[in-house]
Amino acid sequence: MPDTPTAPVIHGNVPGSFARSVLAERHPALIEKVRAAFPYGPEQHRALDALLRNTADGVIEPLGDGAHDRERWEAWGSEWFGASWFDAPFLWAESYFYRQLLGAVGYFTQGAWWGVDPFRPFKQAELDTPETDAELGAVDRLAEVSVAERERGLLLGALWGNRADLGFRVTADGDEPGVDTQLVADDSDAFWAALPQGGGATVSLVADNAGRELLADLLLIDHLLDSGRAARVIVQVKPYPYYVSDAMTADVVDCVRRLTRAGGAAAEAGGRIWEAMGDGRLEVRAHPFSCAPLPYADMPDDLRAEFAATTLTVLKGDLNYRRLVGDCLWEPTAPFAERVAYWPTPVVALRTLKCDVIVGLEASVRDALDAAEPHQKWRVSGAHALVQARM
């Protein structure tokens, strides 16, 4: 990393902060939401009760002796065992909560609930809504507009699809943000310029959410392949359930199937994606570091080599952004390029703003946002988005 200004690491021990609200409000609500989603037995209910008490009043406990990933989590941050959930770095505490939640419902334990995604009902519900039907039906209209308008629409669809983030909606008030919200940074032209038609590019897309967002991601990927802007696309997903709605391989398959039965242009795109997966032009990968509570600056050498072998990396969503630039209270005008200088390829971030972390804004944009929304609520409201690139 180059010499750059430091910033405070985000913790959940600041009263009134977004991080504290996640730990104190969203996580307990999620435990109850998961409990109600499946007919778990007494063992799972006892474990969920214990996790609920522990996250409210207890300290962070290490994984049990038989846990398959105990050593991995010890390497990722054993110094936080025994600390309050609110005193550990927010990124670490939030990630470890999800690991403990999976343990409570028996996801990693041989038995009846082994490998059962506790978030699957929420993900499935996203694929079977009138909103999803309308969005997929709108794909037909893309053939009626210019190529430039079509590409703009597909990129913004993948960007704003993040509004369907299920974790964000567990405790969100009101309706989803409207379509008239504006981008606070827009490097879309740099994205398309990096992928000229016929250039033989390999694109790595680090996915965020399943459901409606992943449908939009797949439609963008289909266009990249079908138009010749990319010869190959690699989708990086999570190896196990994470952050409520984060995409796994099973979610990719569910979304491809949803496209193929949508009818019209969406179904045609689904068919092309199915074929691309079969012939290797579209590959799905799941690296263990995808679920690490650490910034991407600490990624292992094998994952760095995977990214280095591609033309361009696209990272979707808030969690990937936090890990990309560092989960700190940066000054919003801190240069994006400096924060991601370590990345081995050109890199593009697509996200809606639903956490405190933000860099790369013009001072005038920051000032206007601060003036319009007291207490910097624009950072976490989901009403703003960005496309940031470092080429």
Side-chain angles (χ1 to χ4, degrees):
M1 294 287 292
D3 292 333
T4 56
T6 58
V9 173
I10 296 175
H11 292 77
N13 55 10
V14 179
S17 67
F18 174 75
R20 187 173 186 85
S21 73
V22 170
L23 298 176
E25 300 171 20
R26 184 183 297 182
H27 286 178
L30 180 58
I31 290 173
E32 297 307 326
K33 198 173 177 69
V34 167
R35 187 198 303 272
F38 285 97
Y40 289 121
E43 181 180 355
Q44 287 75 37
H45 282 290
R46 285 192 294 270
L48 289 170
D49 288 339
L51 180 60
L52 187 61
R53 291 191 299 270
N54 177 256
T55 55
D57 303 314
V59 298
I60 300 172
E61 300 175 354
L63 300 176
D65 291 339
H68 74 283
D69 53 350
R70 179 185 172 109
E71 292 185 0
R72 179 183 299 162
W73 276 97
E74 288 177 346
W76 283 345
S78 61
E79 64 269 28
W80 302 114
F81 297 149
S84 164
W85 288 88
F86 298 95
D87 291 338
F90 177 44
L91 177 62
W92 199 98
E94 194 176 14
S95 299
Y96 195 62
F97 165 80
Y98 282 97
R99 171 58 183 88
Q100 292 282 46
L101 181 59
L102 292 179
V105 298
Y107 183 86
F108 294 114
T109 305
Q110 292 192 26
W113 296 102
W114 186 19
V116 176
D117 182 355
F119 311 130
R120 184 168 174 78
F122 317 140
K123 297 174 179 178
Q124 289 289 295
E126 278 292 323
L127 298 179
D128 191 22
T129 65
E131 292 83 4
T132 301
D133 292 338
E135 289 166 0
L136 294 181
V139 178
D140 291 340
R141 298 197 293 273
L142 290 177
E144 303 170 2
V145 301
S146 68
V147 173
E149 290 175 305
R150 185 182 313 143
E151 292 186 334
R152 177 73 172 172
L154 288 166
L155 184 62
L156 291 180
L159 170 64
W160 286 110
N162 186 250
R163 290 179 301 170
D165 181 339
L166 299 168
F168 176 66
R169 289 169 50 193
V170 167
T171 55
D173 295 325
D175 297 328
E176 292 180 16
V179 295
D180 59 343
T181 50
Q182 297 182 348
L183 299 181
V184 299
D186 186 5
D187 292 336
S188 301
D189 290 344
F191 171 81
W192 294 113
L195 302 173
Q197 290 183 341
T202 296
V203 176
S204 181
L205 186 144
V206 184
D208 188 34
N209 295 303
R212 287 161 58 194
E213 180 180 351
L214 187 55
L215 289 173
D217 293 342
L218 291 172
L219 289 170
L220 175 62
I221 288 169
D222 170 64
H223 175 76
L224 296 179
L225 292 171
D226 191 50
S227 67
R229 283 190 177 273
R232 187 164 174 257
V233 176
I234 299 166
V235 179
Q236 297 276 356
V237 298
K238 301 297 190 295
Y240 53 80
Y242 202 58
Y243 278 65
V244 186
S245 55
D246 280 28
M248 302 189 301
T249 301
D251 302 311
V252 175
V253 175
D254 286 344
C255 285
V256 176
R257 286 177 171 155
R258 179 67 179 87
L259 287 172
T260 59
R261 69 173 188 267
E268 293 173 2
R272 289 191 296 267
I273 293 168
W274 193 286
E275 291 180 2
M277 293 179 73
D279 63 27
R281 287 178 295 126
L282 175 54
E283 181 181 353
V284 179
R285 296 180 184 173
H287 194 283
F289 192 76
S290 296
C291 295
L294 304 173
Y296 275 113
D298 296 337
M299 76 178 89
D301 291 341
D302 63 328
L303 182 58
R304 186 181 299 274
E306 285 191 27
F307 287 126
T310 65
T311 308
L312 174 71
T313 305
V314 180
L315 292 99
K316 293 291 308 296
D318 262 358
L319 175 59
N320 285 323
Y321 190 86
R322 291 163 63 188
R323 298 182 69 196
L324 176 66
V325 305
D327 200 40
C328 301
L329 289 173
W330 301 106
E331 165 56 44
T333 56
F336 176 75
E338 288 186 5
R339 295 307 316 145
V340 302
Y342 68 91
W343 200 269
T345 67
V347 61
V348 175
L350 302 178
R351 66 177 285 235
T352 52
L353 276 57
K354 292 177 291 186
C355 72
D356 287 312
V357 181
I358 182 72
V359 297
L361 298 189
E362 297 290 339
S364 59
V365 173
R366 176 205 58 196
D367 294 344
L369 291 167
D370 285 344
E373 300 186 38
H375 309 296
Q376 296 191 330
K377 290 185 180 297
W378 57 268
R379 288 179 180 246
V380 300
S381 66
H384 305 279
L386 59 78
V387 181
Q388 289 179 323
R390 189 229 70 202
M391 298 301 174

